[in-house]
Amino acid sequence: MPLSPGDSPGFLLWHATLRWQRDIATALAPLELTHVQFVLLACTWWLNTQGEYPNQLTLARQAGTDVKMTSQVLRTLEHKGLIEREVDPADTRAKRLRVTDTGADLAPRATAAVERADARFFQPVPLDDAVALLGRLARPGT
């Protein structure tokens, strides 16, 4: 017998994901960032703080995003003055990504806004439980 929507893990996950995405969009709106813009900016910023200047493919892998979509969003972030693409001295065909001063100012503020939204969203569940479950779902078999 099929599960009712209230008993279907996939259906519940779908609704939880939609609610979470709305919360994140609301948190980022005052900063004039979309969720994917935030993810790519934050990943680039974090990698830069670790001394890494990723190319587009490395960033897409880090963020878990499609390479072509990553390119389009990076173009938008570049137009906003948040990142710069520099020729990679080791491979002149590749462009290394660097967060601008404006991007480096915005990234931690956006991260804090997202972390506050996450804390509110996940508040009903102990943090360790949420991280364990989501880690298992994100990386099955590990």
Side-chain angles (χ1 to χ4, degrees):
M1 180 152 103
L3 296 173
S4 69
D7 295 328
S8 170
F11 191 72
L12 291 169
L13 179 60
W14 169 252
H15 279 273
T17 300
L18 291 174
R19 193 181 122 232
W20 175 74
Q21 288 174 336
R22 282 191 301 270
D23 291 353
I24 298 298
T26 299
L28 291 171
L31 302 172
E32 298 181 2
L33 288 174
T34 67
H35 195 174
V36 70
Q37 288 171 0
F38 160 73
V39 169
L40 294 177
L41 175 65
C43 285
T44 304
W45 172 72
W46 185 82
L47 288 166
N48 287 178
T49 65
Q50 304 303 302
E52 297 180 41
Y53 297 89
N55 62 27
Q56 177 180 306
L57 179 59
T58 301
L59 180 63
R61 286 184 181 145
Q62 170 77 18
T65 54
D66 174 77
V67 176
K68 287 186 180 186
M69 185 267 301
T70 298
S71 178
Q72 294 168 346
V73 175
L74 286 173
R75 201 169 302 121
T76 299
L77 291 172
E78 191 172 26
H79 288 307
K80 288 183 169 192
L82 301 174
I83 64 146
E84 292 178 339
R85 300 180 204 220
E86 302 168 339
V87 174
D88 186 339
D91 180 358
T92 57
R93 297 168 297 169
K95 302 274 181 144
R96 294 170 27 157
L97 302 169
R98 186 183 67 76
V99 175
T100 64
D101 289 343
T102 302
D105 177 63
L106 181 58
R109 291 188 296 123
T111 299
V114 166
E115 286 176 351
R116 285 190 300 272
D118 278 351
R120 282 189 304 272
F121 181 84
F122 290 106
Q123 187 275 329
V125 180
L127 181 61
D128 290 345
D129 292 349
V131 170
L133 173 62
L134 294 170
R136 287 180 63 196
L137 293 174
R139 295 178 293 280
T142 58

